[in-house]
């Protein structure tokens, strides 16, 4: 594992690493000392600040070593003991001894640049820093002979040891048995730094950081099997197969079953660079891959929107916002999605030096990358069947369940469905094969109206109704100016106005989607929303969507309207809902349809079927 990581921080070491020379020729010499110029270019972040940082550095090592399995075990808050074992490329003995020196690396060519390197460990590394703050034991083998055990005890003071690292620490090196791979055990972290220990949160909080970080890595690298044990109990396990199984290991079966995966490549429309950094006419593309839980699976905070860049979990508000933007109005108000998205870019387009712990990165063409992520997420969710499940107690030992969720068919269930009645003058009861669908009539009508209005911005005319006589509106100076500036957008929404002297305008038409006429007062809402839509990239779209959602609500059928509808009208509503791109949520994120199958009723009545 550490054969693929730079090892150490601080001043450059000077001593030669000892070790046998009978190691395999292929792995011999992978680790070398950095020259002073390169050391000086390596960014800050050389202090191990908490147990989760140790885990992150060691997991980076494992992934860079090509591990297919990474096992993490933590005692207490992580200061007692951390163990990370992998099955990646191990190290030869001399490399293992040198790996704990400050500023030693296997990552860069002699003239390499630490910025843009493709490995996860692209800067001054942590093995030496960890060893200065704890007792570190490293057991490694390239798999072709006797392995190596290296011990560096930063808690032992000037105790007698057999060897020194470049940072002045004592190092024990001896033969050891191990299969291919590397195991690192860190004990008594911060034992000689009581102030650092006292600054840590409680044991539960520190382990929660570790658990969240391991989950980030597992979701960013679904082809790698991860396991996490805490005080001897398994808390997380992923099989290393695919993204859905990784989601299952990190969350639960319900979340994994109500999710879809995405894997797409998008041309950013910018030129790339050749190996020397010169401009290259070849276009740059971004690969977007991940797992997206359906909007029926949400959380109250944004902590479950997980972003990684080239396999490294990072914090990037622009990318996280792009994921949420892709969900759009499918999310209920005040709720956040569960999603894990990895963005793959050429290393030259990523700047890792914006954060000392490498948890934040800068991106060239950040807006283009974010737009690509948003569009990929939106397309993936549009193509999925997002009918909601609802935990509604039916006294039949069952809840209302989705039908065909994730099967990719949007309108099929509605095409074969027959309305059979209305409950409480709002809920449309629909028979569909062996299931009973319950449609929220108002939410369904809102979705139909919203998508009709949205299409108006893509060239389709919005249905309008003429006001006779026209409504006369007295506007302030700012409102009148905004009405002139946004006249085209207002007309596209169905508001036709004309100046009528001073700050007065006459409103001749209003939107009338599905034959229902909007209130003339909606014009002021539209004007206010469009006037406030100049707050940066994406703000206009958000304001427009808010406006369309509000406009869709005004003319939509409400409780009290459904008892008067004929069966043909209900059939018409179902057909129009089935034609929508996103028929399973209203524009405010509430579900439009629930379903319960015949077996649920049969169980409740004690019947076989």
């Amino acid at each position: 594992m550490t054969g693929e990581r730079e090892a150490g921080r601080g001043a450059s070491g000077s001593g030669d690493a000892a070790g046998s020379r009978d190691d395999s020729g292929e792995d011999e010499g992978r680790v070398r000392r950095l020259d002073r110029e390169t050391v000086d270019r390596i960014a800050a972040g050389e202090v191990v600040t908490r147990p989760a940082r140790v885990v992150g550095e060691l997991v980076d090592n494992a992934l860079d070593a090509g591990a297919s399995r990474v096992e993490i075990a933590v005692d207490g808050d992580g200061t007692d003991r951390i163990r990370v074992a992998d099955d990646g490329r191990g190290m030869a003995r001399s490399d293992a001894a040198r790996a704990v020196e400050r500023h030693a690396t296997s990552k860069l060519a002699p003239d390499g640049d630490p910025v843009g390197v493709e490995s996860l460990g692209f800067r001054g590394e942590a093995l030496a820093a960890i060893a200065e703050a704890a007792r570190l034991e490293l057991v490694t083998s390239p798999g072709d002979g006797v392995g190596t055990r290296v011990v560096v005890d930063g808690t032992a003071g000037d105790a007698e040891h057999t060897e020194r690292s470049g940072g002045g620490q004592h190092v024990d090196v001896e033969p050891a048995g191990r299969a291919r791979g590397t195991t690192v055990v860190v004990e008594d972290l911060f034992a000689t730094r009581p102030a650092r220990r006292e600054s840590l949160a409680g044991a539960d909080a520190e382990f929660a950081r570790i658990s969240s970080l391991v989950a980030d890595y597992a979701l960013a690298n679904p082809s790698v099997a991860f396991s996490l044990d805490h005080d001897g109990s398994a808390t997380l396990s992923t099989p290393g197969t695919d993204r859905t199984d990784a989601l299952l290991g990190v969350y639960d079966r319900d979340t994994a079953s109500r999710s879809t995966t995405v894997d797409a490549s998008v041309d950013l429309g910018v030129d790339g660079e050749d190996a020397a950094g010169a401009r290259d006419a070849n276009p740059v593309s971004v690969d977007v891959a991940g797992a997206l839980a359906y909007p029926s699976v949400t959380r109250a905070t944004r902590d479950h929107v997980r972003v990684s860049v080239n396999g490294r979990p990072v914090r990037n508000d622009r990318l996280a916002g792009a994921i949420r933007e892709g969900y759009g109005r499918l999310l209920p108000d005040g709720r956040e999605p569960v999603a894990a998205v990895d963005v793959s870019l050429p290393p030259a387009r990523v700047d890792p030096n914006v954060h000392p712990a490498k948890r934040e990165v800068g991106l060239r063409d950040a807006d283009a990358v974010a737009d690509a992520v948003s569009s990929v997420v939106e397309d993936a969710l549009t193509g999925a069947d997002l009918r909601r499940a609802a935990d509604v107690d039916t006294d039949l030992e069952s809840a209302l369940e989705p039908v065909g969720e994730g099967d990719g068919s949007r309108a099929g269930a509605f095409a074969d469905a027959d309305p059979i009645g209305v409950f409480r003058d709002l809920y449309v009861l629909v028979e569909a094969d062996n299931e009973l669908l319950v449609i929220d009539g108002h939410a369904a009508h809102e979705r139909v109206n919203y998508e009709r209005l949205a299409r108006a911005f893509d060239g389709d005319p919005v249905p309008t109704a003429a006001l006779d006589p026209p409504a006369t509106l007295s506007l302030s100076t700012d409102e009148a100016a905004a009405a002139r500036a946004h006249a085209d957008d207002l007309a596209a929404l169905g508001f036709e106005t004309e100046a009528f002297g001073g700050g007065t305008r006459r409103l001749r038409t209003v939107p009338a989607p599905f034959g229902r006429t909007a209130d003339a007062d909606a014009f002021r809402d539209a004007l206010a929303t469009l006037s406030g839509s100049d707050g940066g990239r994406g703000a206009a779209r958000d304001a427009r969507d808010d406006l369309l959602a509000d406009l869709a609500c005004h003319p939509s059928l409400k409780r009290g309207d459904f008892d008067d509808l004929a069966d043909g009208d209900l059939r018409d509503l179902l057909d129009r809902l089935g034609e929508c791109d996103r028929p399973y949520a209203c524009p405010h994120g509430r579900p439009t349809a629930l379903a319960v199958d015949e077996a649920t009723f049969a169980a409740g009545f004690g019947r076989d079927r």
Side-chain angles (χ1 to χ4, degrees), residues 370-395:
D371 287 346
V373 170
S374 177
S375 66
V376 167
V377 171
E378 182 177 1
D379 289 346
L381 293 173
T382 298
D385 187 337
L386 305 180
R387 194 170 315 154
R388 300 294 187 90
D391 294 328
V392 180
D393 185 5
T394 63
D395 292 330

Side-chain angles (χ1 to χ4, degrees), residues 265-270 272 282-288 344-346 349 369:
S265 182
V266 180
D267 185 353
L268 295 183
V270 297
N282 292 325
V284 175
S285 63
V286 56
D287 294 328
V288 181
S344 295
L345 286 163
R349 320 296 292 191
V369 173

Side-chain angles (χ1 to χ4, degrees), residues 217-595:
Y217 275 102
L219 291 169
N221 300 273
S223 62
V224 178
F226 282 85
S227 66
L228 174 62
D229 289 0
H230 185 219
D231 292 334
S233 299
T235 63
L236 179 150
S237 179
T238 64
T241 51
D242 57 36
R243 296 186 184 278
T244 301
D245 287 342
L247 202 66
L248 172 63
V250 171
Y251 288 97
D252 51 39
R253 186 169 301 280
D254 181 61
T255 300
S257 66
R258 288 193 277 167
S259 68
T260 188
T261 58
V262 58
D263 192 351
S265 182
V266 180
D267 185 353
L268 295 183
V270 297
D271 292 338
E273 296 175 350
D274 61 21
R279 194 167 187 80
D280 188 345
N282 292 325
V284 175
S285 63
V286 56
D287 294 328
V288 181
L292 311 172
Y294 292 153
S296 54
V297 181
T298 62
R299 298 292 188 271
T301 68
R302 298 181 176 181
D303 298 342
H304 299 271
V305 179
R306 303 175 189 267
V307 178
S308 56
V309 175
N310 294 341
R312 174 189 293 284
V314 297
R315 288 189 296 267
N316 186 290
D317 291 341
R318 187 72 180 90
L319 292 181
I323 295 171
R324 291 192 295 272
E325 184 177 306
Y327 275 80
R329 306 200 68 86
L330 292 176
L331 292 172
D333 293 341
R335 303 296 294 179
E336 298 292 338
V338 175
V341 174
D342 182 66
V343 177
S344 295
L345 286 163
R349 320 296 292 191
V350 181
D351 180 7
N353 282 342
V354 299
H355 190 272
K358 299 166 288 184
R359 289 287 284 164
E360 296 179 11
V361 295
L363 301 177
R364 293 180 59 180
D365 312 303
D367 284 341
V369 173
D371 287 346
V373 170
S374 177
S375 66
V376 167
V377 171
E378 182 177 1
D379 289 346
L381 293 173
T382 298
D385 187 337
L386 305 180
R387 194 170 315 154
R388 300 294 187 90
D391 294 328
V392 180
D393 185 5
T394 63
D395 292 330
L396 303 179
E397 298 181 355
S398 177
L400 292 175
E401 293 292 342
V403 179
E405 189 168 54
D407 64 9
S409 61
R410 295 201 306 268
F414 299 141
D416 297 329
D418 294 316
I420 58 176
V422 175
F423 176 67
R424 302 290 291 177
D425 201 17
L426 177 62
Y427 303 105
V428 181
L429 307 181
V430 179
E431 182 179 3
D433 295 328
N434 63 337
E435 290 133 350
L436 175 69
L437 303 183
V438 183
I439 308 293
D440 183 325
H442 176 72
H445 200 189
E446 271 193 307
R447 167 52 61 180
V448 171
N449 289 339
Y450 172 79
E451 294 204 9
R452 283 190 168 188
L453 288 169
R455 283 194 294 271
F457 281 85
D458 296 326
D460 291 350
V462 61
T464 61
L467 298 181
D468 188 17
T472 301
L473 303 176
S474 179
L475 305 179
S476 67
T477 302
D478 291 344
E479 288 176 329
R484 291 191 297 271
H486 296 287
D488 290 342
D489 284 340
L490 289 168
L493 288 170
F495 295 105
E496 181 185 339
T497 67
E498 63 180 8
F500 195 62
T504 303
R505 294 191 76 84
R506 299 183 70 179
L507 179 63
R508 291 190 171 277
T509 66
V510 293
F514 207 23
R516 310 283 294 188
T517 304
D519 194 312
D521 290 340
F523 172 79
R524 290 187 183 275
D525 295 337
L527 185 59
T529 303
L530 290 171
S531 298
S533 66
D534 297 323
R537 188 181 182 93
R541 175 177 175 175
D542 292 342
R544 187 202 73 181
D545 287 347
D546 289 342
L547 168 62
L548 295 180
D550 290 341
L551 288 178
C553 184
H554 283 295
S556 295
L557 294 163
K558 298 176 177 60
R559 187 190 295 272
D561 295 331
F562 288 88
D563 277 345
D564 296 331
L565 295 182
D567 289 346
D569 294 327
L570 296 177
R571 175 73 263 168
D572 197 22
L573 175 60
L574 283 180
D575 288 341
R576 282 168 166 73
L577 181 62
E579 292 167 358
C580 290
D581 287 333
R582 297 185 173 188
Y584 301 112
C586 82
H588 299 95
R590 293 185 296 272
T592 60
L594 301 174

